[in-house]
Amino acid sequence: MKFYGKARIKLSKSPPEEFLEELTNIVSKLNEETLLRGVKNPEDGARIISFSFKDDVITFEIESGRLIPVHTAALRIKNFLLKILGMHYKIGIRELTLESPKVILNGELRINIDIPIIEEIASSNGQTIITLKPLNESLLQKPIFQRLVDLITEKEQRKQWGGKIEHWQKIKESQRKEIKFRDDPNVILEEIGWISNVAPGQWLFTPPFAHILRKFEEMLIDIILKPLGFMEAIFPKMEPISIGLKTGHLKGTPNQMIFASIPRSYNIEEFEPWQDYVTIYNEANPDFLKSFLESPKYYLCFAQCPPFYEFLSKKVFTEKHLPIKWFDRSGPSFRWEGAGGLRGIERLVEFHRIEIVWLGTPDQVIEIRNKLLERYEYFMDKVLDLEWRWAWVTPWFLVHAGETEEMGDKIDINQPGTIDFEAYLPYKGSRDDNKSWLEIGNISIHGAKYTRAFRVQHASGSVLWTGCSGFGVERWVLAFLSQKGFERDSWTKTVQEYIKDLPSGLEAANYPSPQYLNLKRAIEEKVGIKCE
Ligand code: SER
Ligand code: ZN
């Protein structure tokens, strides 16, 4: 990446001859020292390639490398001149403008950035040149130019990543387990009326299924979280968009988030036209409703852990306060999955998750993650007897935050990054097909990504890290039922102990559909419900 621009400096009056004679020396000094300060390789610094003057205006044509972008160079030149002009000639500087600023990239890239300071983006002769509108000093002082450079760098890196969200590498897997069941539990659960669809990706769970979900949560808490000292907290489920700005979700995943709007007014009289409309038409018209609402200032719980970071924000910790180990299971998360591809409880818009969060020194955060992994493995293998695999996924957001890099064949998991937990779903087909595997949870070390963004501090000034892990309750239950089926005898001892006294599913004259009534009763008998 290279830069180009013309720094136009307007003085308080025309300078005398002797200053103009000195200018060549000044430029040499700038080129040899000031514009190379802090860089090892002169290519990365900046240089003045020509200069000219007319009346009270001096113009410097600048070329620069990666480390001293042209806006920084322009400001350095101005500050340097200010001293000499002020001290020796009593002349001030009225105005600094950077004209024709250009960012020059290798390769003919198809970069698309639609922001007002960009004049033109052109590709030719193996280069891409982004030309900006002239920037005045206040724009040069702001981090806008730097952010533009960061944005372009990000877009370039992203292309090299192939546009993927993450890179996947298997790190561990269970033994193959004997598969006794091949049916699709999503279909059965709906047929027997244990779950009922409300809207795309949203279901009502009747008491027997709700009971199973709650028991899975209880097992996780008793077997993994309590022994490791995690304590329950309650996080809000509607978050101000300012939190999503700090975590990066607002930028990274706006296409998957569900936003919420509050009413424009608390005064019911202002809703009179709406009330009249509803009275006459009896229609839930979203377009008309919109005019009574504010723009969205919130989003519904998405990643579940962000309120934790917001809470930690600006707090200062010492050794005795650390680590912090909490979990939240106080409500659902929402993830818009697009119009297609939703299937039963496999892919949901509204789902339940136990979100496990921790804060500590880097060593503490790694150790906690490792202990959690040990317990998770025991849970998957011995408690549920699942066929599972783990993958090291290098998420784009951590690479971009500079917390991690993509790794080669040898993976070191004791650093920022994410491990996905996947379970085999026999009803999907062969194990060799990646589509037959479902992500049921994950565990991440974020490094300082969030402690930096939310300014969470250690009194000693040393760095703090965070970690989080999501246990997607519906998906764990689905994985279990997919592999073990509805036969109580096929379940492990622990699951049998936890899931007893299962309530019977609801029956009405037309629910579940009469053709499935016998199936419902047969399944309820198999899982151990006594049918009345
Ligand atoms: N917050 C993490 C995620 O959204 C773990 O649940 O994936
Ligand atoms: Zn999280």
Side-chain angles (χ1 to χ4, degrees):
M1 189 181 291
K2 284 196 297 200
F3 303 92
Y4 172 88
K6 283 183 186 163
R8 185 177 182 278
I9 295 177
K10 188 170 161 50
L11 308 179
S12 55
K13 60 178 186 210
S14 299
E17 268 309 303
E18 58 182 298
F19 171 75
L20 297 172
E21 279 162 17
E22 206 190 331
L23 206 48
T24 312
N25 286 338
I26 291 175
V27 167
S28 302
K29 205 156 167 58
L30 281 164
N31 274 346
E32 280 153 28
E33 290 172 23
T34 315
L35 298 180
L36 294 179
R37 204 189 316 128
V39 299
K40 282 203 191 108
N41 182 354
E43 283 288 296
D44 293 334
R47 65 219 134 256
I48 298 168
I49 50 175
S50 76
F51 63 93
S52 59
F53 41 84
K54 189 167 187 277
D55 304 331
D56 56 355
V57 172
I58 315 176
T59 305
F60 298 93
E61 194 182 5
I62 312 165
E63 223 178 49
S64 84
R66 206 168 44 92
L67 296 181
I68 307 193
V70 65
H71 71 297
T72 310
L75 290 167
R76 284 192 188 182
I77 294 171
K78 183 205 146 177
N79 290 336
F80 190 85
L81 286 188
L82 198 58
K83 266 196 225 139
I84 297 174
L85 286 164
M87 227 181 319
H88 304 305
Y89 305 98
K90 301 270 175 292
I91 296 176
I93 292 180
R94 284 269 157 78
E95 205 178 86
L96 163 67
T97 318
L98 186 64
E99 292 179 340
S100 313
K102 292 186 201 302
V103 183
I104 303 156
L105 303 162
N106 279 337
E108 295 183 19
L109 309 173
R110 252 182 289 137
I111 290 183
N112 197 357
I113 308 173
D114 193 7
I115 51 170
I117 57 166
I118 292 183
E119 182 140 307
E120 183 190 37
I121 302 182
S123 287
S124 66
N125 302 329
Q127 283 192 328
T128 304
I129 299 179
I130 302 170
T131 307
L132 308 186
K133 298 201 176 122
L135 301 171
N136 60 28
E137 188 167 353
S138 85
L139 281 174
L140 295 176
Q141 298 278 11
K142 278 186 200 157
I144 287 182
F145 195 91
Q146 191 55 47
R147 285 188 192 142
L148 176 70
V149 172
D150 292 346
L151 179 65
I152 296 165
T153 314
E154 183 190 335
K155 286 188 189 232
E156 274 189 317
Q157 278 178 359
R158 221 190 159 110
K159 283 226 169 94
Q160 283 160 13
W161 253 63
K164 273 190 264 173
I165 301 296
E166 60 187 32
H167 282 183
W168 187 100
Q169 280 161 291
K170 184 161 73 184
I171 52 168
K172 203 165 191 177
E173 62 192 328
S174 70
Q175 288 177 341
R176 281 197 172 198
K177 307 269 158 106
E178 190 193 345
I179 300 297
K180 294 182 181 156
F181 190 79
R182 297 210 169 265
D183 291 338
D184 181 347
N186 295 299
V187 175
I188 296 174
L189 288 168
E190 193 173 8
E191 283 175 353
I192 67 175
W194 278 17
I195 66 173
S196 174
N197 192 243
V198 174
Q202 285 185 291
W203 296 77
L204 183 146
F205 300 143
T206 69
F209 195 65
H211 185 85
I212 294 177
L213 288 174
R214 291 292 188 223
K215 289 295 169 184
F216 266 69
E217 290 185 2
E218 233 176 277
M219 282 193 281
L220 176 86
I221 293 167
D222 292 349
I223 297 167
I224 301 188
L225 300 181
K226 286 213 173 129
L228 294 180
F230 281 86
M231 290 192 298
E232 182 162 10
I234 295 180
F235 298 162
K237 294 292 167 281
M238 191 171 89
E239 299 158 29
I241 50 178
S242 59
I243 295 187
L245 182 69
K246 288 193 219 162
T247 60
H249 289 103
L250 204 60
K251 174 182 166 192
T253 48
N255 60 326
Q256 294 177 46
M257 295 161 82
I258 298 183
F259 293 93
S261 293
I262 56 174
R264 271 195 201 284
S265 165
Y266 183 64
N267 181 358
I268 186 66
E269 279 160 25
E270 294 190 27
F271 283 79
E272 209 175 317
W274 170 252
Q275 293 176 314
D276 297 347
Y277 179 94
V278 173
T279 308
I280 304 294
Y281 295 104
N282 193 26
E283 220 179 67
N285 180 337
D287 288 327
F288 191 38
L289 178 60
K290 201 161 73 179
S291 60
F292 297 87
L293 304 179
E294 280 192 5
S295 298
K297 287 187 181 154
Y298 298 88
Y299 58 92
L300 302 187
C301 173
F302 180 76
Q304 205 167 340
C305 50
F308 177 58
Y309 314 128
E310 176 75 12
F311 161 77
L312 296 175
S313 187
K314 303 207 181 104
K315 294 194 172 48
V316 181
F317 296 92
T318 67
E319 279 96 87
K320 67 174 183 202
H321 309 114
L322 297 169
I324 297 173
K325 296 188 277 183
W326 289 357
F327 67 90
D328 167 74
R329 54 146 174 178
S330 63
S333 289
F334 296 83
R335 210 159 266 227
W336 181 245
E337 294 281 357
L342 295 169
R343 181 197 185 93
I345 54 168
E346 194 182 295
R347 194 167 281 281
L348 293 165
V349 171
E350 178 172 343
F351 62 98
H352 297 83
R353 169 171 55 194
I354 298 188
E355 176 77 1
I356 305 149
V357 291
W358 60 104
L359 166 83
T361 62
D363 284 346
Q364 286 172 329
V365 166
I366 293 171
E367 192 192 330
I368 292 165
R369 198 280 315 267
N370 288 343
K371 286 198 170 135
L372 274 166
L373 274 183
E374 244 172 69
R375 301 298 297 174
Y376 264 121
E377 182 168 347
Y378 170 77
F379 191 73
M380 289 178 204
D381 229 29
K382 300 289 181 302
V383 177
L384 302 182
D385 189 36
L386 288 178
E387 186 167 333
W388 53 267
R389 67 184 189 188
W390 294 354
W392 178 258
V393 290
T394 314
W396 162 253
F397 77 83
L398 280 182
V399 175
H400 178 56
E403 293 295 338
T404 191
E405 286 171 11
E406 198 183 344
M407 272 177 262
D409 293 340
K410 207 170 164 301
I411 295 170
D412 169 19
I413 66 166
N414 288 325
Q415 60 156 322
T418 296
I419 294 169
D420 273 358
F421 305 140
E422 299 183 352
Y424 174 47
L425 301 181
Y427 69 86
K428 295 272 216 172
S430 154
R431 290 178 174 85
D432 303 331
D433 187 349
N434 275 334
K435 289 202 193 77
S436 306
W437 293 81
L438 181 70
E439 183 193 337
I440 53 179
N442 60 26
I443 189 163
S444 296
I445 295 176
H446 314 121
K449 175 177 158 61
Y450 296 125
T451 49
R452 206 185 310 117
F454 289 84
R455 296 166 195 258
V456 191
Q457 291 168 39
H458 193 287
S460 73
S462 57
V463 68
L464 289 174
W465 279 12
T466 55
C468 82
S469 172
F471 177 92
V473 191
E474 285 92 346
R475 288 187 168 196
W476 281 81
V477 170
L478 176 66
F480 181 78
L481 291 176
S482 299
Q483 292 186 18
K484 306 289 167 201
F486 292 82
E487 200 94 47
R488 188 178 188 78
D489 295 342
S490 313
W491 296 356
T492 56
K493 208 170 109 264
T494 312
V495 177
Q496 291 198 34
E497 277 164 15
Y498 269 82
I499 303 181
K500 20 181 209 229
D501 304 325
L502 210 71
S504 171
L506 175 128
E507 288 182 15
N510 58 353
Y511 190 88
S513 170
Q515 75 202 88
Y516 296 119
L517 193 59
N518 287 337
L519 178 66
K520 169 187 182 280
R521 290 181 178 167
I523 284 191
E524 292 190 349
E525 201 176 311
K526 281 202 267 176
V527 298
I529 298 172
K530 283 177 202 66
C531 297
E532 290 93 50

